[in-house]
Amino acid sequence: MPQPLKLHPDRLFSSDLEIRAIARRLYAQVATLPIVSPHGHTDPEWWATDAPFGNATELLLHPDHYIFRMLYSQGVSLEDLGIGNPDADPRESWRLFASRYHLFRGTPSRMWLDWVFSQSFELDVLLSAETSDHYYDRITEALTTDAFRPRALFERYNIEVIATTESPLDDLRHHQAIRDSGWKGRVITAYRPDPVVDPEFEGFHHNLEILSDMTGEDCFSWPGYLAAHRKRRAFFAAMGATSTDHGHPTARTANLAPVEAEALFGRVAGGQASPEDAELFRAQMLTEMAGMSLEDGLVMQIHPGAFRNHNKQLFDKFGRDKGADIPTRTDYVQALRPLLGKYGNEARLSIILFTLDESVYARELAPLAGHYPCLKLGPAWWFHDSPEGMRRFRENVTETAGFYNTVGFNDDTRAFLSIPARHDVARRVDCNFLARLVAEHRMEEWEAADLAVDLAYNLVKAAYRL
Amino acid sequence: MPQPLKLHPDRLFSSDLEIRAIARRLYAQVATLPIVSPHGHTDPEWWATDAPFGNATELLLHPDHYIFRMLYSQGVSLEDLGIGNPDADPRESWRLFASRYHLFRGTPSRMWLDWVFSQSFELDVLLSAETSDHYYDRITEALTTDAFRPRALFERYNIEVIATTESPLDDLRHHQAIRDSGWKGRVITAYRPDPVVDPEFEGFHHNLEILSDMTGEDCFSWPGYLAAHRKRRAFFAAMGATSTDHGHPTARTANLAPVEAEALFGRVAGGQASPEDAELFRAQMLTEMAGMSLEDGLVMQIHPGAFRNHNKQLFDKFGRDKGADIPTRTDYVQALRPLLGKYGNEARLSIILFTLDESVYARELAPLAGHYPCLKLGPAWWFHDSPEGMRRFRENVTETAGFYNTVGFNDDTRAFLSIPARHDVARRVDCNFLARLVAEHRMEEWEAADLAVDLAYNLVKAAYRL
Amino acid sequence: MPQPLKLHPDRLFSSDLEIRAIARRLYAQVATLPIVSPHGHTDPEWWATDAPFGNATELLLHPDHYIFRMLYSQGVSLEDLGIGNPDADPRESWRLFASRYHLFRGTPSRMWLDWVFSQSFELDVLLSAETSDHYYDRITEALTTDAFRPRALFERYNIEVIATTESPLDDLRHHQAIRDSGWKGRVITAYRPDPVVDPEFEGFHHNLEILSDMTGEDCFSWPGYLAAHRKRRAFFAAMGATSTDHGHPTARTANLAPVEAEALFGRVAGGQASPEDAELFRAQMLTEMAGMSLEDGLVMQIHPGAFRNHNKQLFDKFGRDKGADIPTRTDYVQALRPLLGKYGNEARLSIILFTLDESVYARELAPLAGHYPCLKLGPAWWFHDSPEGMRRFRENVTETAGFYNTVGFNDDTRAFLSIPARHDVARRVDCNFLARLVAEHRMEEWEAADLAVDLAYNLVKAAYRL
């Protein structure tokens, strides 16, 4: 007999009767608020073409590195999951996943997936070896219906706005197609210049050539390169972007004299950059980008601290984003000082900081954001986008930075179907956190009710200028 | 309609019925114990002159960098708050604060302030734009009465002893005046030699000249400099000091051979110190101070890990202590080893360690204090002087260092009126922590009752030799 | 009147009624499961000779650095405790401990000791100055009876298997004697090569000579040295070992070209190694050992991050393991990459990582173990082998690594009598953690019941190949 699958209405709320009662009341206010998703990695082509998704494996397993990294850690090969292997039978790959579903106990993936299975596909038994084919068939069949086409899901999920992330080299054709289609869904882009800012990015030199062609600027000269950024930022803003995003290895910034910056760029563009040059150039570019944000109003997001592609064998065989990025210790206090020394007191500038190093929440990020007018703190990110991760974020950050130097929730995902589940987890965890403060008489319930709506909806709209 | 303001008698206690009942019983034993405040930054002139405080803004806003750093982070200018701007209307500054009081939700400042408003000024509505003038008038009017003069508040707050912090260059005239006045309030000083120990302190060279004049020693010679410290320490001790305090950027110590130390001092006193020399000199001076503490019995406090004046523009305009100090990652294991190698096994020596880097609680500080006889751990400090911060301190420290290698609570504040509120928060959080241990059968209630009194009163008196 | 001593059946369970009820049910399933102790430091001679233990002080105080480090931190001299001082009266030493038993409030030692006193010696009053002699006499007398001889305790404690830890230089005579005796208790060894792998270990050069003699290999040549390891590993495996153990200062690994490794070994064996050479050699040897583990199937344990013998005066007088080892900040992401680059994708290889630096749980260890097939995470270790430490481990690790990349509990102790108490604490804390997940509807109770048995019994047997 398969086990039943049912989502409990009190999930993620404390079992303490007082806290739970308050959490329920707070959550009732925010459960159905529209989803504002200001940062993520969904594919705009989905909404441009509105083509149906393929099968269960393609939709749910292949884009979700949280899933296949766990399976890989327990000895399942990526080839057998169909990663980089078009010959794999998707039904067999799904079975490998289904029969190991117990590995996900206690992980957020389990909660997100159960939500998708239950709420989107109306499955009422738990995923297992026994129910694998039932799942595969039900999901794959549903995907052939109009109700599961991308735009229909977008509307069903009550998404008010979603941001994708594109490189300056992207022509944004899909975003243009969405606009041209007359469909009302609000899908915007975000400016992620890493491929033309990071000298160590694959194809950096060639990327500068493309950028030159796209902009008519000489991107091998410092003024031309900066002008090209300004042009592309303006184009992105015209296509709805309200933010930029920077995924550097560290949070280092620099504030070089113009002549030094130009000389550094010369080495970088000429292909003679040392690793230290590359790091310094990325650092300088964060400050340049902050300056441009002051000009054009784009909100700046800094996402540092991932050691990308830690597993070289895997990278050589399968490429990026295969679950082998690992967080590293990250300094912000020294690292951000050059940028903050130049622009830190500008209240018109908005920089949202993220981290994968939770030890900096209370020690560095909350004190910085609780002082500098330009700084705000992004939510618990990536590996920390989880109930315990979010709880630690609130417990560590709130007492020094308050709630109003934070910016609501980001789902940051390419797993489209999990987006409502992720927002739901965040709303529940925040309501539960607020409920504890109320139950411990550290806040009045009417204040918590205000905050619940702010954390779920108002703060993100204000912070991202949406 | 303004919202009511009321302090709930169970605030900060768990909503779990069993824990709450125990916490109430424990707290009842300590709620009214006298306040022992062994480390802080109140101004001894208050008690020397007993002059009335000014208005609400001067009393509560201007000395409290927790408040104005939050307001600044949300775009309020310091000038408008009256910081460094005598032309600002204090009532208008207060309004800026009052209308943004929601920013403090979830912060300890909110709890401290509500205590002051409710308990000291008998206000019964919440601070807001609407109630701003009511607050301003009520507070400012109260300050004209005798009941709100410094000595009256000292007595009303049941302060058994309070320590201020002075530089060796201070003549302690206010402390002398307090003694001469016949008033019974016990106000003592603490020896904070940073201005004559840190070669990078503003005016260091000039400070050595003053120290020479004050002591009759040649403070540009190593023996004279050390002798001057001994003289000033003796003077401070005579004025009631039982402790010294050292606010270095790091916890680094050194144990140089005398000839090396003298040579280093030569470079420092001669103004030729490199940054590394400056750091090494501070390090050596911690060890020298430990040696003097062995001689004269003054308890040594080490407060490392603040990056002072991180915001250079702000510092240039407004000076120190404007909410722009940011904690940094801090090592203790390597850093303290030279000092501990020399004096670590001296049970007569007492060194109290503080940190702004919570990642060292369980990893470094508790193991060190749970071994070395000279070491004790100061309470959760500064940004961590908060309910969650105190909880993390106890949870991380207790299992390795126990309770008896800690030293009770420090308020460490210049916001005088908040002192009882701060001690009350600490007592409540500690009682709630102990109550959880009892409720989980990890300790008997009679033991927790002993400990509650120890943590609130006995440990601090013993540790600071008061 | 002495206070009563009684162990509450709900100890370590939440006082929340719902969580407690679930925790009780989960715990009932695992409370009496056999003890599997795959890593520790008990003395095989105990079971080889089955000789009675001495007195209370020798049995419980002298081998337990958790106890005497706390007493030392509060001013008790090691000499008075009888450490390195055969002239001390053991009854007097016990009194020093007994009269300071309150120092252990809130520590795991207190819980372990109370378990031993109550469950093993049927004491029903609390240890104190008043009951000191009663304790000393009761315990010392019991030790003269057959029921308290090592094998009897082994059986009474329901130990299924226990691993000791030996150097390659050990002839394993006690393990041989156990086998020869016909006694059925399963006591196995583990291969801990630090004395012949760490060039900074006391007597390293001489150790290589002994290793040469034992193996007939020239351990001053690189091929001979490696061959000697292979021979000793094979011998240890034949004596039951299923694992190796590596206690390096850091987690650094290296993957040198063979010719470079040989040259490095030349400097090391020749006594000319610099500190950097020593560190690099330890690093290279971790990778060599991983290669050998691929060959012979021994599970590899890496225990980095202790600054050994931090207190030099104490070390010079009393030697190793006197409570003066202090954890340090430890990096894994960079450090392990050379080894993982070579062997990380081998699912047949099993490496169990430990840490004393909790800040790496969520940031580094869980992401690494949640990806690399060869990696698993050891339980909360040493100073973190405590209720709060275990809770932090689960809360920080589970969401990214799941439960199935962890390996159950290790007691890691030389305090034999505390072993059942330590396993009991771990089982209670895990059941309580799982119960919270159930009570918050993050997991079904039948899943938690499966997991409770896995965490207490199945995972450790699988991970250690027992």
Side-chain angles (χ1 to χ4, degrees):
Chain A
M1 272 288 290
Q3 294 284 347
L5 168 64
K6 46 183 190 239
L7 304 185
H8 197 286
D10 287 331
R11 64 192 183 279
L12 293 167
F13 297 158
S14 171
S15 51
D16 179 90
L17 297 178
E18 215 161 317
I19 296 175
R20 186 163 66 192
I22 300 165
R24 281 176 181 160
R25 290 194 294 270
L26 297 176
Y27 176 70
Q29 292 196 305
V30 300
T32 60
L33 286 177
I35 288 175
V36 175
S37 175
H39 178 87
H41 300 280
T42 53
D43 187 341
E45 186 173 4
W46 296 335
W47 297 291
T49 65
D50 204 30
F53 292 110
N55 55 51
T57 299
E58 272 177 49
L59 176 67
L60 298 175
L61 203 160
H62 288 176
D64 194 337
H65 51 69
Y66 287 84
I67 298 180
F68 58 73
R69 79 192 309 276
M70 176 66 88
L71 297 174
Y72 187 70
S73 81
Q74 289 277 320
V76 180
S77 78
L78 295 188
E79 288 89 343
D80 289 346
L81 294 172
I83 313 277
N85 176 20
D87 296 338
D89 177 351
R91 180 181 297 272
E92 287 299 328
S93 297
W94 187 262
R95 285 176 183 159
L96 289 172
F97 167 45
S99 62
R100 286 166 181 80
Y101 197 51
H102 66 284
L103 299 176
F104 295 89
R105 287 172 181 162
T107 71
S109 292
R110 166 68 183 272
M111 277 189 302
W112 301 330
L113 287 161
D114 278 354
W115 188 96
V116 170
F117 298 153
S118 165
Q119 299 306 102
S120 288
F121 295 103
E122 292 170 25
L123 287 153
D124 57 8
V125 290
L126 190 67
L127 182 62
S128 66
E130 187 186 2
T131 62
S132 179
D133 284 3
H134 172 59
Y135 262 71
Y136 188 83
D137 293 335
R138 166 77 67 98
I139 293 168
T140 304
E141 189 184 303
L143 297 182
T144 63
T145 65
D146 283 351
F148 283 86
R149 290 182 49 191
R151 292 181 182 180
L153 288 173
F154 188 103
E155 288 158 7
R156 175 173 161 193
Y157 288 165
N158 196 17
I159 296 175
E160 183 174 315
V161 54
I162 196 168
T164 66
T165 310
E166 273 79 36
S167 141
L169 306 180
D170 194 298
D171 60 10
L172 304 185
R173 73 180 70 179
H174 299 307
H175 288 84
Q176 189 59 53
I178 294 167
R179 300 188 155 214
D180 294 345
S181 75
W183 178 58
K184 295 296 178 213
R186 187 172 172 203
V187 179
I188 62 178
T189 184
Y191 188 72
R192 171 90 169 220
D194 298 1
V196 294
V197 157
D198 179 359
E200 294 172 333
F201 207 93
E202 302 96 285
F204 173 74
H205 192 270
H206 181 56
N207 292 344
L208 291 190
E209 290 173 357
I210 301 172
L211 189 65
S212 298
D213 290 345
M214 289 180 94
T215 58
E217 299 287 343
D218 173 9
C219 291
F220 294 88
S221 85
W222 182 229
Y225 174 77
L226 294 176
H229 273 294
R230 284 188 171 86
K231 282 188 178 174
R232 294 307 289 164
R233 291 172 63 108
F235 176 61
F236 273 59
M239 297 298 282
T242 67
S243 67
T244 71
D245 183 35
H246 307 275
H248 293 194
T250 74
R252 184 166 162 195
T253 64
N255 186 15
L256 302 176
V259 61
E260 289 173 50
E262 183 154 12
L264 173 63
F265 179 75
R267 294 196 296 281
V268 162
Q272 305 135 5
S274 67
E276 165 58 18
D277 281 340
E279 175 70 357
L280 185 58
F281 184 69
R282 290 186 295 259
Q284 177 63 25
M285 284 307 296
L286 285 182
T287 308
E288 300 290 344
M289 289 283 141
M292 292 186 200
S293 278
L294 254 181
E295 297 168 12
D296 63 20
L298 292 182
V299 171
M300 189 172 182
Q301 299 173 90
I302 303 181
H303 278 94
F307 188 125
R308 303 278 172 181
N309 313 311
H310 189 270
N311 188 333
K312 189 172 181 317
Q313 290 181 1
L314 205 84
F315 176 70
D316 290 345
K317 199 158 169 187
F318 298 98
R320 293 188 149 244
D321 296 326
K322 293 299 174 288
D325 297 343
I326 309 289
T328 56
R329 204 162 63 209
T330 309
D331 159 72
Y332 292 80
V333 177
Q334 299 282 354
L336 293 177
R337 199 163 181 252
L339 188 160
L340 293 172
K342 187 161 189 182
Y343 296 121
N345 295 293
E346 295 281 358
R348 288 175 307 129
L349 179 64
S350 184
I351 301 176
I352 302 173
L353 298 176
F354 293 80
T355 195
L356 294 171
D357 180 355
E358 293 177 308
S359 73
V360 306
Y361 281 160
R363 186 181 65 213
E364 304 183 23
L365 292 186
L368 285 166
H371 166 67
Y372 282 102
C374 69
L375 294 181
K376 298 252 179 315
L377 301 186
W381 176 39
W382 198 339
F383 296 104
H384 311 306
D385 176 10
S386 63
E388 300 298 332
M390 291 176 190
R391 179 180 57 76
R392 287 194 291 269
F393 175 80
R394 290 286 174 215
E395 289 181 359
N396 279 280
V397 157
T398 306
E399 294 182 315
T400 292
F403 290 102
Y404 292 94
N405 284 306
T406 65
V407 304
F409 181 65
N410 284 186
D411 55 71
D412 193 20
T413 191
R414 64 198 75 217
F416 175 39
L417 270 74
S418 73
I419 287 177
R422 290 169 186 252
H423 286 258
D424 189 60
V425 167
R427 291 172 185 188
R428 287 173 178 276
V429 171
D430 278 341
C431 286
N432 191 63
F433 177 74
L434 291 167
R436 180 165 75 84
L437 297 189
V438 174
E440 295 177 358
H441 307 291
R442 296 156 70 174
M443 182 181 288
E444 299 298 324
E445 187 166 337
W446 66 269
E447 298 181 285
D450 275 5
L451 274 164
V453 177
D454 287 341
L455 298 182
Y457 187 77
N458 293 326
L459 282 174
V460 62
K461 291 196 69 170
Y464 282 88
R465 302 177 178 171
L466 290 169
Chain B
M1 272 288 290
Q3 294 284 346
L5 168 64
K6 46 182 190 238
L7 304 185
H8 197 284
D10 287 331
R11 63 192 183 280
L12 291 168
F13 297 158
S14 171
S15 51
D16 179 271
L17 298 178
E18 217 161 317
I19 296 175
R20 185 163 66 192
I22 300 165
R24 283 175 181 161
R25 291 194 294 270
L26 298 176
Y27 176 70
Q29 291 197 305
V30 300
T32 61
L33 286 177
I35 288 174
V36 176
S37 175
H39 179 87
H41 300 280
T42 52
D43 187 342
E45 187 173 3
W46 296 334
W47 297 290
T49 65
D50 203 29
F53 293 109
N55 54 50
T57 299
E58 271 177 50
L59 176 67
L60 298 174
L61 203 160
H62 289 174
D64 194 336
H65 50 69
Y66 288 84
I67 299 180
F68 57 73
R69 78 191 309 279
M70 177 66 90
L71 297 174
Y72 187 70
S73 81
Q74 290 276 321
V76 179
S77 79
L78 295 188
E79 288 90 341
D80 288 347
L81 293 172
I83 313 278
N85 177 19
D87 298 338
D89 176 352
R91 179 181 297 272
E92 287 299 329
S93 297
W94 186 262
R95 285 176 184 161
L96 288 172
F97 167 45
S99 62
R100 285 165 183 79
Y101 198 51
H102 66 284
L103 298 177
F104 295 89
R105 288 172 181 162
T107 71
S109 293
R110 165 67 184 272
M111 277 187 303
W112 301 330
L113 287 161
D114 278 355
W115 187 96
V116 171
F117 298 151
S118 165
Q119 299 305 103
S120 289
F121 295 102
E122 291 170 27
L123 287 153
D124 58 8
V125 290
L126 190 67
L127 182 61
S128 66
E130 188 186 0
T131 62
S132 179
D133 284 2
H134 172 61
Y135 263 70
Y136 188 83
D137 292 335
R138 166 77 66 98
I139 294 168
T140 303
E141 190 184 303
L143 297 183
T144 64
T145 66
D146 283 351
F148 283 85
R149 291 185 45 192
R151 292 182 182 179
L153 288 173
F154 187 103
E155 288 157 8
R156 173 173 163 192
Y157 288 166
N158 196 17
I159 296 173
E160 181 174 315
V161 53
I162 196 167
T164 64
T165 310
E166 273 79 35
S167 142
L169 307 180
D170 194 298
D171 60 11
L172 304 184
R173 73 180 69 179
H174 299 306
H175 288 83
Q176 190 59 56
I178 295 167
R179 300 187 155 218
D180 294 344
S181 75
W183 178 58
K184 294 296 177 212
R186 187 172 173 204
V187 178
I188 62 177
T189 183
Y191 189 71
R192 170 91 170 218
D194 300 0
V196 294
V197 158
D198 179 0
E200 295 172 333
F201 207 94
E202 301 94 288
F204 174 72
H205 193 270
H206 181 57
N207 293 343
L208 291 190
E209 290 173 357
I210 301 172
L211 188 64
S212 298
D213 290 346
M214 291 180 93
T215 59
E217 298 288 344
D218 172 9
C219 291
F220 294 87
S221 85
W222 181 229
Y225 173 77
L226 294 176
H229 273 294
R230 282 186 172 85
K231 283 189 178 173
R232 294 308 289 164
R233 291 172 63 107
F235 176 62
F236 272 59
M239 297 297 282
T242 68
S243 67
T244 71
D245 183 35
H246 307 275
H248 293 194
T250 74
R252 187 168 160 192
T253 64
N255 186 15
L256 302 177
V259 60
E260 290 174 47
E262 183 153 12
L264 173 62
F265 178 75
R267 294 195 296 281
V268 161
Q272 304 134 5
S274 66
E276 166 57 19
D277 280 340
E279 175 70 358
L280 184 60
F281 184 69
R282 290 186 295 258
Q284 178 63 25
M285 284 307 296
L286 286 181
T287 308
E288 299 291 343
M289 288 283 141
M292 293 185 199
S293 278
L294 253 180
E295 298 168 12
D296 62 20
L298 293 182
V299 171
M300 187 173 183
Q301 300 172 90
I302 303 181
H303 278 94
F307 188 125
R308 303 276 172 183
N309 313 311
H310 190 270
N311 187 334
K312 190 171 180 316
Q313 289 181 1
L314 206 83
F315 176 70
D316 290 344
K317 198 158 170 186
F318 298 97
R320 295 188 147 243
D321 296 326
K322 294 298 174 288
D325 298 343
I326 309 289
T328 56
R329 203 162 65 209
T330 309
D331 160 72
Y332 293 79
V333 177
Q334 299 281 355
L336 293 177
R337 200 163 180 252
L339 188 160
L340 293 171
K342 187 159 189 183
Y343 296 121
N345 296 293
E346 296 282 356
R348 289 177 304 129
L349 178 64
S350 185
I351 301 176
I352 301 175
L353 299 175
F354 294 79
T355 195
L356 294 171
D357 179 356
E358 294 177 308
S359 73
V360 306
Y361 281 160
R363 187 181 63 213
E364 306 182 23
L365 292 187
L368 285 166
H371 166 67
Y372 282 100
C374 69
L375 295 182
K376 298 251 179 316
L377 302 185
W381 175 39
W382 197 340
F383 296 104
H384 311 305
D385 175 10
S386 62
E388 300 299 330
M390 291 175 189
R391 179 181 56 77
R392 286 195 291 269
F393 176 80
R394 290 286 174 216
E395 290 181 358
N396 280 280
V397 157
T398 306
E399 294 182 316
T400 291
F403 290 102
Y404 293 93
N405 283 307
T406 65
V407 303
F409 180 65
N410 284 186
D411 55 71
D412 192 19
T413 191
R414 64 199 74 215
F416 174 39
L417 270 74
S418 73
I419 287 177
R422 290 168 187 253
H423 285 257
D424 188 61
V425 168
R427 290 172 186 189
R428 288 174 177 274
V429 172
D430 278 341
C431 287
N432 191 63
F433 177 74
L434 291 167
R436 180 164 75 83
L437 297 188
V438 174
E440 295 177 358
H441 308 290
R442 296 156 71 174
M443 181 181 287
E444 299 298 323
E445 187 165 338
W446 67 267
E447 299 181 284
D450 276 5
L451 274 165
V453 177
D454 287 341
L455 298 183
Y457 186 77
N458 293 324
L459 283 175
V460 62
K461 290 196 70 168
Y464 282 88
R465 302 176 178 172
L466 290 168
Chain C
M1 273 287 291
Q3 294 284 346
L5 169 63
K6 43 180 194 245
L7 304 185
H8 197 284
D10 287 330
R11 63 192 184 279
L12 291 168
F13 297 158
S14 172
S15 52
D16 179 271
L17 298 179
E18 216 161 318
I19 296 174
R20 186 162 66 191
I22 301 165
R24 282 175 181 162
R25 290 194 294 270
L26 298 176
Y27 176 70
Q29 291 196 305
V30 300
T32 61
L33 287 177
I35 288 175
V36 176
S37 175
H39 178 88
H41 301 280
T42 53
D43 187 342
E45 188 172 3
W46 296 335
W47 297 292
T49 65
D50 204 30
F53 293 110
N55 55 49
T57 299
E58 271 177 50
L59 176 67
L60 297 174
L61 203 160
H62 288 175
D64 194 336
H65 51 69
Y66 288 85
I67 298 180
F68 57 73
R69 78 191 312 277
M70 177 65 90
L71 297 174
Y72 186 70
S73 80
Q74 289 276 320
V76 180
S77 79
L78 294 188
E79 288 89 344
D80 289 347
L81 294 172
I83 313 277
N85 176 19
D87 297 337
D89 177 352
R91 180 181 296 273
E92 287 299 328
S93 296
W94 186 263
R95 285 176 183 159
L96 289 171
F97 167 44
S99 62
R100 286 166 182 79
Y101 198 51
H102 65 284
L103 299 177
F104 295 90
R105 288 172 182 162
T107 71
S109 293
R110 166 69 185 271
M111 278 188 302
W112 301 330
L113 287 161
D114 278 354
W115 187 95
V116 171
F117 297 152
S118 165
Q119 299 304 103
S120 289
F121 295 102
E122 291 169 27
L123 288 152
D124 58 8
V125 291
L126 190 66
L127 182 61
S128 65
E130 186 186 2
T131 63
S132 179
D133 283 1
H134 172 60
Y135 262 71
Y136 188 83
D137 292 334
R138 166 75 68 97
I139 293 169
T140 304
E141 189 183 303
L143 296 183
T144 65
T145 66
D146 283 350
F148 283 85
R149 291 185 45 193
R151 291 181 183 179
L153 288 173
F154 187 102
E155 288 157 8
R156 173 174 163 194
Y157 288 166
N158 196 18
I159 296 174
E160 182 174 314
V161 53
I162 197 168
T164 65
T165 309
E166 273 79 36
S167 142
L169 307 179
D170 193 297
D171 61 10
L172 304 184
R173 73 181 67 181
H174 298 306
H175 288 83
Q176 189 61 54
I178 294 169
R179 298 187 155 215
D180 293 345
S181 75
W183 178 59
K184 295 296 178 213
R186 187 173 174 204
V187 178
I188 61 177
T189 183
Y191 189 72
R192 170 91 171 221
D194 299 1
V196 295
V197 157
D198 178 359
E200 294 171 334
F201 206 93
E202 301 96 288
F204 174 73
H205 193 270
H206 181 57
N207 293 345
L208 291 189
E209 289 173 358
I210 300 172
L211 188 64
S212 298
D213 289 347
M214 291 180 93
T215 59
E217 299 287 345
D218 172 8
C219 291
F220 294 87
S221 85
W222 181 230
Y225 174 76
L226 294 176
H229 273 294
R230 283 189 171 85
K231 283 188 177 172
R232 294 306 290 164
R233 291 173 63 108
F235 175 62
F236 273 58
M239 297 298 282
T242 68
S243 67
T244 70
D245 183 35
H246 307 275
H248 292 196
T250 73
R252 185 166 161 194
T253 65
N255 186 15
L256 301 177
V259 61
E260 290 174 49
E262 183 154 12
L264 173 63
F265 178 75
R267 293 195 297 280
V268 162
Q272 306 135 4
S274 66
E276 165 58 17
D277 281 340
E279 174 71 357
L280 184 60
F281 183 70
R282 291 187 294 259
Q284 178 63 23
M285 284 307 296
L286 286 182
T287 307
E288 299 290 343
M289 288 284 142
M292 292 186 200
S293 277
L294 253 180
E295 297 168 10
D296 63 19
L298 293 181
V299 171
M300 187 172 184
Q301 299 172 91
I302 303 181
H303 278 95
F307 188 125
R308 303 277 173 182
N309 313 312
H310 189 270
N311 188 334
K312 190 172 180 316
Q313 289 181 0
L314 205 84
F315 175 70
D316 290 344
K317 198 157 170 189
F318 298 98
R320 292 189 150 244
D321 296 326
K322 293 298 174 289
D325 298 343
I326 309 289
T328 56
R329 202 162 64 209
T330 309
D331 160 72
Y332 292 80
V333 177
Q334 299 281 353
L336 293 177
R337 199 163 181 251
L339 188 160
L340 293 172
K342 186 159 189 182
Y343 296 121
N345 295 293
E346 295 282 356
R348 289 177 305 130
L349 179 64
S350 186
I351 302 176
I352 301 175
L353 299 175
F354 294 80
T355 195
L356 294 170
D357 179 356
E358 294 177 308
S359 73
V360 306
Y361 281 160
R363 186 181 64 213
E364 305 183 22
L365 292 186
L368 285 166
H371 166 67
Y372 281 101
C374 69
L375 295 181
K376 298 253 181 311
L377 301 185
W381 176 38
W382 198 340
F383 296 103
H384 311 306
D385 176 11
S386 63
E388 300 298 331
M390 290 176 191
R391 179 180 57 76
R392 286 194 292 269
F393 175 79
R394 291 284 175 217
E395 288 181 359
N396 279 280
V397 157
T398 307
E399 295 181 316
T400 292
F403 290 101
Y404 292 94
N405 284 307
T406 66
V407 305
F409 180 66
N410 284 186
D411 55 71
D412 192 21
T413 191
R414 64 198 76 217
F416 175 39
L417 270 74
S418 73
I419 287 178
R422 290 169 187 252
H423 285 258
D424 189 60
V425 168
R427 290 172 186 189
R428 287 174 178 275
V429 171
D430 279 341
C431 287
N432 191 64
F433 177 74
L434 291 167
R436 180 165 75 84
L437 297 188
V438 174
E440 295 177 358
H441 307 291
R442 295 157 70 174
M443 182 181 288
E444 299 298 323
E445 187 166 339
W446 66 268
E447 298 181 286
D450 276 5
L451 275 164
V453 177
D454 287 340
L455 299 183
Y457 187 75
N458 294 323
L459 282 175
V460 63
K461 290 196 70 169
Y464 281 88
R465 300 176 179 173
L466 291 168

